[in-house]
Amino acid sequence: MNPNDTENQNAAPQAEPANDVASAADPIAVLEAEKADLKDKLLRLMADMENLRRRTEREMADARTYAVANFARDMLNVADNVRRAIESVPDEARSTAEGAFKGLIEGIDLTERDLLKTLERHGVKKLDPQGQKFDPNVHQAMFEIPNAEVPNGTVLQVVQSGYVIGERVLRPALVGVSRGGPKANGNGAEAADNSSTAS
């Protein structure tokens, strides 16, 4: 055996620890980077899953609320016809009605009330805009009625009732709106606010 071989053997073990430190630092850095990457992916996945859960809950709630919309829209024609049947009987004939005719009128009234209650139980509500301020989101103006006694834009006549289901309009109310009266209070208040902010 050569004396130099012994020195080489002794030198080799000393060099290895230096390499171990250098090579050990690289795997730790690699593992730290991989850990940070996996943590980022996990957080993103958790956020995506939470968004999906919320969206699914919202869609299910909408489906429950609005599932009957098409059926309810078809039933509105029935409600309109029942209302027309009630209105076709003059007040005079209604007050003097007797016997079977009186029973028929009461039966039609009862049918309308029951139909409206059933629709309401399923989230469909009838709009009664008479005397309210015109709202283009739920009303459809058919004509204007000159009237100086009421504020502009007040619903004076309802031609056809409107209905909403949840927050959505199932059918807008067809209305006649006032014209020629004083401006509505809301517009005057806004004008006053604008003038005070300008000064």
Side-chain angles (χ1 to χ4, degrees), residues 59-130:
E59 288 172 357
M60 286 175 56
D62 283 352
R64 268 186 248 111
T65 302
Y66 303 114
V68 297
N70 289 334
F71 177 72
R73 194 173 288 116
D74 291 341
M75 291 306 294
L76 297 184
N77 292 329
V78 175
D80 290 341
N81 289 334
V82 171
R83 171 62 17 206
R84 285 186 198 105
I86 292 169
E87 290 174 351
S88 69
V89 178
D91 290 336
E92 191 178 296
R94 182 183 290 261
S95 61
T96 60
E98 292 181 7
F101 184 58
K102 183 178 181 177
L104 177 66
I105 293 171
E106 289 173 354
I108 293 173
D109 280 337
L110 181 62
T111 302
E112 183 190 37
R113 283 195 305 268
D114 195 34
L115 177 62
L116 293 176
K117 281 181 187 175
T118 302
L119 287 172
E120 206 167 301
R121 208 171 36 245
H122 292 281
V124 179
K125 293 180 183 156
K126 184 177 181 180
L127 298 175
D128 187 20
Q130 186 78 31

Side-chain angles (χ1 to χ4, degrees), residues 12 15 19 30 40 50 52 64-65 67 73-74 84 101 138 153 175 180 182 184:
N19 288 340
V30 169
D40 181 55
E50 182 63 20
L52 177 64
R64 268 186 248 111
T65 302
R73 194 173 288 116
D74 291 341
R84 285 186 198 105
F101 184 58
V138 292
V175 298

Side-chain angles (χ1 to χ4, degrees), residues 27-45:
I28 290 174
V30 169
L31 289 174
E32 287 293 329
E34 187 177 334
K35 178 184 135 189
D37 183 47
L38 289 173
K39 184 176 179 181
D40 181 55
K41 286 180 180 177
L42 177 65
L43 290 174
R44 289 176 188 271
L45 180 63

